[in-house]
Amino acid sequence: MASARRTFLVSFGERYTLLLVGVVGTMIIARMLPPAEIGIFSIGAVLVGLAQVVRDFGVGQYVVAAKTLSQEQLRAALGVAVGSAWTLAVLIAVLSGVMADFYAQPRLREVMRLLAVNFLLVPFTALTLSFLRRQLRVSAIYLINTTHSVVQLVSTVWLAALGFGCLSLAWGTVAAALAALMVSLPLRPAELPWLPRLRGARAVLGFSFYATGGNMADEAGVAAPDLVMGKLLGAEAVATFGKAQALLNLFSQAVTSAVSPVLLPLFAGQARDGRDLRATYLLTVSCMTGIAWPFFVLLGVLALPVVNLVYGEQWDAAAPLIRIMCCSSALYSMFIMARYLFIATGHVRDQAWLDTVSVMVRVLLVLPAALFGLHWVALAIVGGAIFRCWLTWRYLSRLAGINAAALCRAVSRSAALAALTAVAPVAALAMMQPGPAQLAVASSAATVLWLVGVLAFRHPLAGELEFAWRSVRRRNAV
C-alpha cells in the first residue's frame, strides 16, 4: 500500500507540473491569439482527436492490462500501433482539404496536415509510455510528459509571437511530439522491440477492437458539440465553448489523469491475483468526489472571476456555460474511474457498449440544442452526463456488485465536505467585488475549510494527506 501511495504521489507531481505548464500556456495564448484563430485550431484538433483514439488501436491498454507479455506480443502490438497510426496520418492529410471546405476555413487544411505528422512519431513514444505504466515507472513517465508540455508551450508562444496564428498551435504539437520521442529513447525498457510485425496481431486486435470502439465512441461524444457548433455557430462559438470546457477539465488534468495511469495497472494487478476490487473502487470514488465536489462548487460559484483571470475579459461568455456544466462534471466524478475497473476485470466489450449508448444519447441531445445557442448546448451536455451516470451505475451493479447504497455511503462524507467548502466562495460572492482579490480570498478560505472538513468528517482523504505529510517530513529530515 505504501508503494502504491508513493506511486500516486509521483503521478500527482507529474500531473500538477503539466497542469501548471498548461495553464500558463493557456493564459498566454488566450491573450496572444483572437478567438477565431483558436477556434480554427480547435476544430482541427477535434477532427484529428477522433482519429487519435484509433491511432494505437487500443495497444496502450493492451500492454498495461495483458496478463503476460512476450517479445512476440510486443512486436505485434508495435506493428498494430504503427500500421494504424501511419494509415490515419495519410487519411487525415487527404481529408484535410474536404474538411477545410466543409467548415469554410482554408487554414484548417494546414492545421490538419501538421497534426497528421504527429501520427508518424507518436506510436514509438506511446508504446514506451504504456510499458513504463505497466511497470509503474512513474518518474520516467514524468520526464517524458513534462518535456512534451514544455516544448509545446515554448514553441507555440514563440511562433504566435512571430504571427503564425492558428498554425503556431499546430507546429507546437509537432515540436512536442519530436521532443518526447527523443527523450523517451534512453528511457526505453530493454524488453521493448524496435521492429514491428503483424504476426500475432490477431490476439492484440481481439482485445483492442472493443477497447478502441469504446474509446472512439467516448471521444465522439466529446467532439460532437465542437463539430456541430463549428458548422452551425462558427469558429468563435467553438472557441468560447472550448474555453469553458478547458476550465472544467482542470479537474481531469489535475486529478483524474494522475490517478488513471496508476489505477488501471493497480486494478489489473489485483484482478490477476483474484482479489475483490469493490473496496478499492469505492475508496477511489470517495477520494475522487472529496476533491471533485469542492472543486466544482468553487469553480461554479466564481466562474466569472476565474475566466477573467485565466483568459481575460474577451472570454466572459464562457462563464455561464461553466456554471451549467459544473453540475454534470461533479456528478460524473462518481463514475469516471469505472472504465478502468471494467477493463481490468475483462469487461472491455461492456465498456464499449456503455460508451456507444452514452454517446448516441449525447449527440441526439446536442444536435437540436445547437440550433438555439451555446446555453442550450451546455444543458444538453448536462442531460447526456446524467444519462451516462445512470447507465454506468447499472453496469457497476451488474458487473461488479456495487449497488446504490454502497455508492451513497462512499460519497456521503464528500457531500458534507463540499457543503462546508461552499461557504467560502458563496460568502466571497456576496461580500466582495468580482476580481482577483475575491478569487484569492475565496480560494484560500475554501482550502482551509476543506482541510478542516477532511479531518473533522474523518474523510478517507485524511489518511492519504497524513501519509503525504509523513513522506515530506522524512525527506526533509534526511
Side-chain angles (χ1 to χ4, degrees), residues 142-472:
Y142 192 146
L143 180 59
I144 296 171
N145 288 337
T146 301
T147 301
H148 180 281
S149 294
V150 171
V151 170
Q152 184 170 13
L153 169 60
V154 173
S155 302
T156 301
V157 171
W158 177 57
L159 291 170
L162 293 177
F164 278 73
C166 59
L167 295 181
S168 61
L169 293 160
W171 274 111
T173 63
V174 176
L178 182 59
L181 175 61
M182 299 305 295
V183 171
S184 71
L185 293 179
L187 299 172
R188 203 168 186 269
E191 302 94 319
L192 286 181
W194 287 98
L195 296 177
R197 74 173 187 182
L198 293 179
R199 184 187 302 174
R202 186 173 182 179
V204 180
L205 294 174
F207 173 93
S208 301
F209 178 79
Y210 293 104
T212 303
N215 290 341
M216 189 171 183
D218 201 35
E219 183 65 26
V222 173
D226 288 337
L227 297 180
V228 172
M229 287 186 296
K231 182 63 177 176
L232 298 179
L233 301 177
E236 190 167 334
V238 174
T240 301
F241 186 86
K243 291 304 180 189
Q245 196 68 59
L247 284 178
L248 290 166
N249 287 342
L250 284 177
F251 176 78
S252 175
Q253 295 170 15
V255 180
T256 307
S257 57
V259 172
S260 57
V262 180
L263 202 60
L264 178 56
L266 183 64
F267 279 158
Q270 291 184 354
R272 286 193 290 267
D273 295 338
R275 297 167 60 184
D276 187 355
L277 301 181
R278 285 178 294 183
T280 304
Y281 179 77
L282 290 173
L283 176 62
T284 303
V285 169
S286 182
C287 292
M288 290 289 288
T289 54
I291 301 171
W293 289 1
F295 171 84
F296 287 116
V297 166
L298 183 66
L299 179 60
V301 174
L302 299 177
L304 184 58
V306 172
V307 168
N308 287 339
L309 175 66
V310 178
Y311 302 134
E313 295 183 359
Q314 64 174 330
W315 299 96
D316 282 359
L321 308 180
I322 292 171
R323 295 191 189 101
I324 294 171
M325 293 188 291
C326 269
C327 303
S328 57
S329 297
L331 180 62
Y332 187 57
S333 65
M334 293 175 60
F335 304 98
I336 198 167
M337 290 301 167
R339 167 186 300 277
Y340 306 106
L341 178 66
F342 295 148
I343 292 174
T345 53
H347 298 295
V348 182
R349 184 179 302 185
D350 295 286
Q351 179 61 50
W353 178 246
L354 189 159
D355 288 332
T356 302
V357 174
S358 299
V359 166
M360 289 173 60
V361 171
R362 183 185 177 106
V363 173
L364 289 174
L365 292 173
V366 166
L367 280 173
L371 298 173
F372 300 97
L374 288 176
H375 287 74
W376 284 96
V377 173
L379 289 170
I381 297 297
V382 173
I386 291 173
F387 174 81
R388 187 185 186 113
C389 290
W390 171 80
L391 189 61
T392 305
W393 167 71
R394 294 291 302 272
Y395 274 70
L396 281 171
S397 178
R398 180 169 62 86
L399 300 178
I402 298 174
N403 56 33
L407 278 174
C408 289
R409 285 193 299 270
V411 302
S412 59
R413 295 178 185 179
S414 297
L417 187 58
L420 177 62
T421 307
V423 172
V426 170
L429 188 67
M431 301 171 61
M432 300 180 66
Q433 292 295 321
Q438 180 195 56
L439 186 58
V441 170
S443 301
S444 301
T447 302
V448 172
L449 289 175
W450 182 81
L451 289 170
V452 170
V454 167
L455 299 175
F457 302 139
R458 297 182 180 178
H459 195 280
L461 284 168
E464 307 307 316
L465 292 176
E466 183 182 354
F467 174 80
W469 175 247
R470 287 202 307 267
S471 297
V472 170

Side-chain angles (χ1 to χ4, degrees), residues 72-156:
E72 289 73 18
Q73 287 174 295
L74 287 170
R75 289 186 65 186
L78 181 59
V80 171
V82 170
S84 61
W86 289 12
T87 301
L88 286 168
V90 174
L91 184 62
I92 291 168
V94 170
L95 293 178
S96 60
V98 177
M99 292 295 101
D101 293 339
F102 179 77
Y103 285 101
Q105 299 288 350
R107 281 181 299 170
L108 183 59
R109 179 186 292 104
E110 296 175 74
V111 168
M112 291 185 64
R113 288 179 178 176
L114 284 171
L115 293 176
V117 175
N118 285 352
F119 283 63
L120 304 177
L121 304 173
V122 167
F124 300 97
T125 309
L127 187 66
T128 300
L129 286 170
S130 297
F131 202 81
L132 291 173
R133 288 192 183 98
R134 180 182 177 90
Q135 298 177 328
L136 291 176
R137 290 175 56 186
V138 288
S139 297
I141 296 172
Y142 192 146
L143 180 59
I144 296 171
N145 288 337
T146 301
T147 301
H148 180 281
S149 294
V150 171
V151 170
Q152 184 170 13
L153 169 60
V154 173
S155 302
T156 301

